[in-house]
Amino acid sequence: MAKVVILTGAGISAESGIRTFRASDGLWEEHRIMDVATPEGFARDPALVHRFYNARRAAARTAQPNPAHIALAELEADPGHEVLVVTQNVDDLHERAGSQNVIHMHGSLFGALCHACDHRWPAPESMQPQDTCPECGRKATRPDIVWFNEMPYQMDRIIRELEAADLFVSIGTSGNVYPAAGFVQDAAMCGVETLELNLDRSAGSEMFDTSRQGPASVLVPQWVRERLGSR
């Protein structure tokens, strides 16, 4: 059985209509990233941050998985492959496409977190600063999102899975955001084959054994067909 670890980034969700952070001007849906995606921004204006993520949550609910999401779920369902999807995206399009083995390293729009006691629970449709934690009762609720300057989730497990993989695939990522941008180096150091599927060449394209350019909705189904046809 081939063990495949797949990293997905904004490029795969963008084709489902989910707008993403633009590094070129530091804006995300016309907001400064420091205002809506940092602990400091949340401390300054929690109402703004909750409004921002309430809108992102509503938009994600209306988005639909595209052929790239669906192809990855088909690969996971194949008995010849053991697939782990590690996504930087905070939507649930992988799960709705049928993927079951998914790590949300940057959290999820559909999770809530108490920053007083670390309790987690499913996020309601709309979160407000006055919401109380169902565990400790404090008004300390925030979206369960990993913001800038915070540690991504399940890093120890991700590194273990990378080191044990036969193939590492990066899909729709810029290659600029660490620690995910370093996964290709981690994999290569362990002798793992590496493949990039991206709209354009990323900042780390030269580190991959193979790099293909094009829309994820075209490249990913094509690659999955190749994998399933090679058995």
Side-chain angles (χ1 to χ4, degrees):
M1 178 181 291
K3 183 176 177 62
V4 184
V5 175
I6 299 170
L7 172 69
T8 64
I12 195 171
S13 289
E15 292 190 56
S16 290
I18 295 180
R19 293 179 64 189
T20 59
F21 167 56
R22 299 196 306 273
S24 59
D25 55 15
L27 295 179
W28 187 6
E29 292 283 359
E30 313 312 320
H31 289 275
R32 291 196 320 135
I33 203 73
M34 300 305 291
D35 292 335
V36 297
T38 65
E40 295 79 11
F42 182 70
R44 281 194 305 269
D45 194 344
L48 169 66
V49 174
H50 277 303
R51 287 196 303 271
F52 178 81
Y53 287 98
N54 288 341
R56 306 285 73 70
R57 192 178 301 112
R61 289 190 193 280
T62 63
Q64 297 299 318
N66 64 56
H69 297 103
I70 294 167
L72 294 182
E74 291 173 351
L75 185 66
E76 181 184 319
D78 178 67
H81 291 82
E82 178 184 342
V83 174
L84 171 66
V85 174
V86 178
T87 186
Q88 297 173 283
N89 300 329
V90 294
D91 57 65
D92 63 347
L93 295 178
H94 283 299
E95 289 87 347
R96 286 200 275 137
S99 292
Q100 299 181 36
N101 198 16
V102 181
I103 293 177
H104 283 268
M105 65 178 294
H106 290 166
S108 170
L109 288 167
F110 303 102
L113 167 67
C114 175
H115 60 84
C117 73
D118 287 334
H119 180 64
R120 287 175 168 81
W121 65 100
E125 187 169 326
S126 179
M127 296 180 66
Q128 309 296 332
Q130 65 269 25
D131 292 346
T132 58
C133 170
E135 183 69 19
C136 72
R138 296 179 63 179
K139 294 180 180 179
T141 63
R142 55 168 276 185
D144 191 9
I145 301 290
V146 175
W147 288 327
F148 284 86
N149 301 321
E150 295 182 327
M151 180 60 69
Y153 295 151
Q154 300 193 52
M155 284 301 300
D156 289 345
R157 181 189 169 196
I158 293 169
I159 296 302
R160 287 197 307 271
E161 297 281 357
L162 275 173
E163 292 173 346
D166 298 302
L167 174 64
F168 168 65
V169 186
S170 177
I171 301 170
T173 67
S174 66
N176 288 317
V177 179
Y178 283 83
F183 289 171
V184 60
Q185 294 167 294
D186 295 328
M189 287 176 60
C190 295
V192 178
E193 182 184 355
T194 58
L195 168 66
E196 177 181 62
L197 304 175
N198 212 43
L199 184 61
D200 302 300
R201 291 183 65 82
S202 74
S205 288
E206 71 281 355
M207 291 183 281
F208 287 85
D209 294 321
T210 305
S211 180
R212 303 180 186 177
Q213 282 73 55
S217 59
V218 174
L219 289 184
V220 177
Q222 180 184 67
W223 169 70
V224 169
R225 286 195 299 270
E226 292 172 6
R227 293 290 308 184
L228 298 182
S230 67
R231 289 181 292 111

